[in-house]
Amino acid sequence: MDTEDAALRRVGMKDVAREADVSLGTVSNVLNRPELVAEPTRTRVLAVIKALGYVRTEGARQLHGWAARFLAVVVPDLADPFFTALATGVGQAAREADLGVMVCTGTRDPEEETRQLSLITAHRIRGAVLTSGEAVGRTVAAFKRHAVPFVVADQYGSHPAACSVGIDDVAGGHAAVRHLIDQGHSSIAYVSGPDHLPQVRDRRQGALDAVTEAGLRPTALRELTCTDLTVGAGKDAGHRILGLPHRPSAVFCANDLLALGIMQALYEARLRVPDDIAMVGYDDIGFAASAVVPLTSVRRPAVALGRQAGRLLIQDTTHGTSHEHSHLVMQPELVVRRSTMAAPTR
């Protein structure tokens, strides 16, 4: 079975049998009574199952009417409030259409991603909203192979075969650093996340654009890379900032969790925000406004993003081949709070 055919419909037992050159009964025995199948044949069939990405759906057929009433949301980590809010938005869209939502997490772990994907495809859900976590490329390929309708959220235009909704993170990065420059800062650190994430790259590009437009040298923006976008990674970055020979007067973070971690490190070192170091985060999660020093942040409309993605998915699965894919871009908003409201000390 070639890739194009697999992308048009779900991989079934007949496909496995044909590719492995065995009967349907043999495939069934491999799945249900492997002890009845000779080892060479069993090994060949299992290899084909893995290559085609076949997943069992026997139980799902009994629940087909129920399962078709659910959307899936695939997110990297519900510990990140941004993804929780996005899933909430998808849930709002689902309720509008009298549908339910199944939330799947763990797409930063390839093994967990495979397990979640098997659950989704086995239950024949109506469709899925995929967030742009680290594994989104693999996930998209698998969903195409199983003919599961999907919409990509938090990324736009990168998957022409599906609808997408994203946020202009170049504009967001520009707004954050432009604000710091307007406050008088000319030595700024950008604390970023994994470079393979397009959002991280876009925010960096926006920050560099703001530095260039202000007539500052590119060295005015120094980047400190983090392997994760978590509070713990931010605290580690804060310690690195404290160890710099020429400490920046302001920090722009790729998300709010990093910013909160850095603020913890600064507090432990008895430095004041914003008097010693000004801070700007990204996402504007709920913790940003309630921090000890309320955090200036670039607000991404996560709930609206999820709601729009859910509506596009419902339209796609309702209208079928007559549906035209849309690629929507939402604009972020800089929310200024006390973490940037003092003049730099140097």
Side-chain angles (χ1 to χ4, degrees):
M1 182 179 187
D2 62 34
T3 303
E4 183 176 357
D5 288 340
L8 295 176
R9 60 187 177 86
R10 298 177 191 274
V11 175
M13 287 179 62
K14 289 182 179 179
D15 302 310
V16 175
R18 182 170 57 250
E19 189 71 18
D21 194 23
V22 297
S23 67
L24 276 174
T26 299
V27 176
S28 178
N29 282 337
V30 169
L31 294 171
N32 300 295
R33 295 178 297 277
E35 69 280 359
L36 299 180
V37 183
E39 184 176 350
T41 301
R42 185 170 68 245
T43 300
R44 185 169 76 253
V45 172
L46 290 174
V48 170
I49 287 173
K50 182 177 181 180
L52 294 182
Y54 169 75
V55 291
R56 303 176 66 176
T57 59
E58 290 85 348
R61 276 193 284 271
Q62 300 174 9
L63 300 173
H64 181 69
W66 171 86
R69 304 298 302 169
F70 276 73
L71 306 180
V73 187
V74 184
V75 299
D77 187 359
L78 280 175
D80 187 327
F82 174 81
F83 292 113
T84 305
L86 189 151
T88 297
V90 177
Q92 292 176 356
R95 283 194 298 275
E96 293 172 358
D98 195 26
L99 299 173
V101 171
M102 174 170 54
V103 181
C104 301
T105 63
T107 55
R108 289 191 175 120
D109 180 343
E111 290 186 5
E112 178 62 16
E113 177 203 15
T114 299
R115 191 182 75 84
Q116 296 284 0
L117 178 60
S118 295
L119 288 173
I120 292 172
T121 54
H123 283 85
R124 294 181 182 269
I125 48 88
R126 182 178 181 129
V129 173
L130 308 180
T131 57
S132 52
E134 298 168 19
V136 72
R138 294 191 303 271
T139 306
V140 164
F143 273 63
K144 286 181 178 179
R145 185 168 64 249
H146 291 285
V148 177
F150 65 90
V151 169
V152 177
D154 197 24
Q155 203 177 115
Y156 54 90
S158 57
H159 302 285
C163 290
S164 63
V165 189
I167 296 172
D168 189 346
D169 285 315
V170 174
H174 182 280
V177 173
R178 179 75 252 185
H179 170 66
L180 290 172
I181 292 171
D182 288 345
Q183 295 296 306
H185 297 280
S186 58
S187 176
I188 302 167
Y190 172 47
V191 178
S192 69
D195 194 58
H196 60 269
L197 294 178
Q199 298 89 341
V200 169
R201 298 195 300 268
D202 286 350
R203 291 164 205 175
R204 178 197 301 117
Q205 185 59 57
L208 288 170
D209 290 347
V211 167
T212 300
E213 290 175 11
L216 300 176
R217 295 182 177 182
T219 52
L221 186 74
R222 289 185 285 175
E223 182 173 4
L224 284 78
T225 303
C226 296
T227 56
D228 294 304
L229 295 168
T230 62
V231 173
K235 191 168 184 179
D236 175 72
H239 293 145
R240 283 187 277 158
I241 289 171
L242 292 170
L244 292 175
H246 301 288
R247 199 171 63 227
S249 65
V251 178
F252 166 46
C253 297
N255 77 348
D256 288 340
L257 297 180
L258 289 174
L260 293 173
I262 292 172
M263 291 173 78
Q264 288 180 7
L266 298 180
Y267 176 79
E268 291 173 0
R270 301 186 180 277
L271 293 181
R272 298 168 297 170
V273 175
D275 301 83
D276 295 309
I277 297 182
M279 297 284 305
V280 178
Y282 209 99
D283 288 341
D284 195 34
I285 61 176
F287 297 129
S290 59
V292 174
V293 178
L295 179 66
T296 294
S297 185
V298 178
R299 176 178 294 164
R300 294 202 295 162
V303 174
L305 180 74
R307 185 168 56 245
Q308 186 61 60
R311 287 172 176 171
L312 286 175
L313 180 61
I314 292 166
Q315 291 172 15
D316 186 1
T317 56
T318 300
H319 300 297
T321 56
S322 65
H323 174 76
E324 294 186 5
H325 294 310
S326 301
H327 304 288
L328 308 180
V329 183
M330 295 182 171
Q331 293 301 313
E333 174 191 1
L334 180 69
V335 181
V336 178
R337 298 191 180 95
R338 191 152 58 90
S339 69
T340 58
M341 296 185 67
T345 58
R346 52 190 168 280

